[in-house]
């Protein structure tokens, strides 16, 4: 999307002034920067990953405090899925990878996914 801004110049700056008032108009077009899309990072429930591990992941990867981590863990346990945060694409992708790597290292089947908001 382009946005046009008018810049007023004195007659000294623009020689082809037709209005006779000594002021001309120049236009300058600027491209508007589009905000990056945001993605929700979600944890999926399983019957094998210990809640203590999920809480630790939420604290370490998503910087949640103890109360937030427990609340999200219980939401995942009770509803099957829980949101860990909303991030730009690259950040969300990195966090999903960190969670999946930690789960694999600790031999847990915990799944973490991202979806466009």
């Amino acid at each position: 999307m382009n946005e046009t801004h008018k810049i007023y110049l004195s007659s000294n700056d623009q020689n082809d002034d037709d209005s006779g008032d000594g002021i001309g108009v120049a236009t300058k077009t600027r491209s508007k920067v589009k905000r990056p899309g945001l993605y929700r990072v979600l944890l999926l429930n399983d019957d094998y990953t210990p809640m203590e591990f999920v809480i630790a992941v939420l604290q370490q990867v998503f910087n949640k405090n103890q109360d937030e981590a427990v609340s999200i863990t219980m939401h995942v346990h009770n509803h099957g899925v829980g949101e860990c945060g909303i991030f730009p694409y690259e950040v969300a992708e990195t966090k999903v990878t960190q969670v999946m790597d930690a789960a694999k290292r600790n031999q847990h089947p915990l799944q973490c996914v991202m979806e466009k908001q």
Side-chain angles (χ1 to χ4, degrees), residues 38-78:
L38 296 177
Y39 290 78
R40 299 172 64 208
V41 176
L42 307 169
L43 284 179
L44 307 179
N45 190 40
D46 64 72
D47 294 332
Y48 303 102
T49 304
M51 287 188 186
E52 293 78 18
F53 178 77
V54 176
I55 291 169
V57 163
L58 288 165
Q59 290 176 318
Q60 293 170 14
V61 176
F62 298 96
N63 300 316
K64 301 295 183 186
N65 65 37
Q66 179 73 23
D67 291 338
E68 291 172 318
V70 169
S71 176
I72 293 169
T73 300
M74 293 309 297
H75 190 274
V76 171
H77 179 72
N78 292 325

Side-chain angles (χ1 to χ4, degrees), residues 58-117:
L58 288 165
Q59 290 176 318
Q60 293 170 14
V61 176
F62 298 96
N63 300 316
K64 301 295 183 186
N65 65 37
Q66 179 73 23
D67 291 338
E68 291 172 318
V70 169
S71 176
I72 293 169
T73 300
M74 293 309 297
H75 190 274
V76 171
H77 179 72
N78 292 325
H79 297 94
V81 64
E83 183 178 279
C84 304
I86 300 172
F87 308 96
Y89 179 83
E90 291 81 10
V91 175
E93 184 178 46
T94 299
K95 292 192 179 290
V96 167
T97 300
Q98 290 173 333
V99 171
M100 297 300 291
D101 289 348
K104 188 174 184 178
R105 273 194 312 277
N106 290 278
Q107 299 178 349
H108 295 304
L110 181 65
Q111 294 294 303
C112 185
V113 297
M114 58 190 257
E115 68 178 24
K116 190 159 178 63
Q117 185 181 18

Side-chain angles (χ1 to χ4, degrees), residues 3-23:
E3 191 175 293
T4 302
H5 298 277
K6 291 185 179 182
I7 301 169
Y8 294 95
L9 305 170
S10 71
S11 61
N12 295 339
D13 295 334
Q14 187 169 341
N15 295 330
D16 59 345
D17 181 21
D18 294 334
S19 65
D21 62 4
I23 296 179

